[in-house]
Amino acid sequence: MATKKNEDIARQREDEVMLLRTRDRLEFREIAERIGADVKNTYQAWKRGRARLHQEAAESFGAYVGEQLATCQQVIDGLMPMVRGGGQNAPKAGEAIVRAMDHEAKLLGLYAPVKANVTVTDEMTARVRALADEIAHLEET
């Protein structure tokens, strides 16, 4: 079982390998020579460091999205009474609510493009060519 001191040393080694690989663009062989390790362990440290950074980035991103969604909800909740009450500020409050809801939708990925599986058949190609020929004939006359 790894001790806290060993975990700290491993983390420091991962950070050093990540820095040498990304900033200095060194090969794993060169990094291994520099830190006094073999190439396999250097590569494994790089993989662990990348995985840790990916996890930290995902957690940070999730926290950021959560904060943004909470802020949008506060804006909507704060402006809704103005919209319901009417008055001269109701239209601007309504527009602000729509913008907040639009931001929420973007954060949640509701505007993400939809993948479509499209297959073009020989029949469709022939129909397009016939239509192109027909249009070309119309332009000639």
Side-chain angles (χ1 to χ4, degrees), residues 44-57:
Q44 293 299 323
W46 179 72
K47 279 179 50 175
R48 285 191 309 272
R50 282 190 58 211
R52 179 176 40 82
L53 289 175
H54 281 257
Q55 180 63 33
E56 290 172 0

Side-chain angles (χ1 to χ4, degrees), residues 20-120:
L20 292 170
R21 180 73 176 161
T22 56
R23 183 193 66 197
D24 298 344
R25 302 280 191 219
L26 297 179
E27 298 292 326
F28 290 114
R29 177 185 42 77
E30 296 170 312
I31 297 169
E33 289 172 5
R34 187 174 287 192
I35 65 174
D38 63 28
V39 175
K40 181 181 177 185
N41 286 333
T42 301
Y43 177 73
Q44 293 299 323
W46 179 72
K47 279 179 50 175
R48 285 191 309 272
R50 282 190 58 211
R52 179 176 40 82
L53 289 175
H54 281 257
Q55 180 63 33
E56 290 172 0
E59 290 170 3
S60 294
F61 179 75
Y64 172 77
V65 170
E67 290 171 7
Q68 290 289 307
L69 290 171
T71 300
C72 289
Q73 192 58 51
Q74 288 176 339
V75 167
I76 293 168
D77 290 346
L79 293 174
M80 192 57 74
M82 282 189 212
V83 173
R84 287 190 180 130
Q88 68 185 36
N89 292 328
K92 287 188 180 194
E95 290 174 12
I97 288 174
V98 169
R99 284 194 304 274
M101 292 173 73
D102 184 56
H103 188 63
E104 276 183 325
K106 289 176 184 174
L107 287 169
L108 295 171
L110 299 178
Y111 293 157
V114 177
K115 290 184 179 180
N117 186 10
V118 178
T119 304
V120 178

Side-chain angles (χ1 to χ4, degrees), residues 126-140:
R127 288 173 57 193
V128 169
R129 283 188 181 146
L131 183 59
D133 291 342
E134 187 179 327
I135 291 171
H137 178 71
L138 291 174
E139 289 177 350
E140 291 174 1

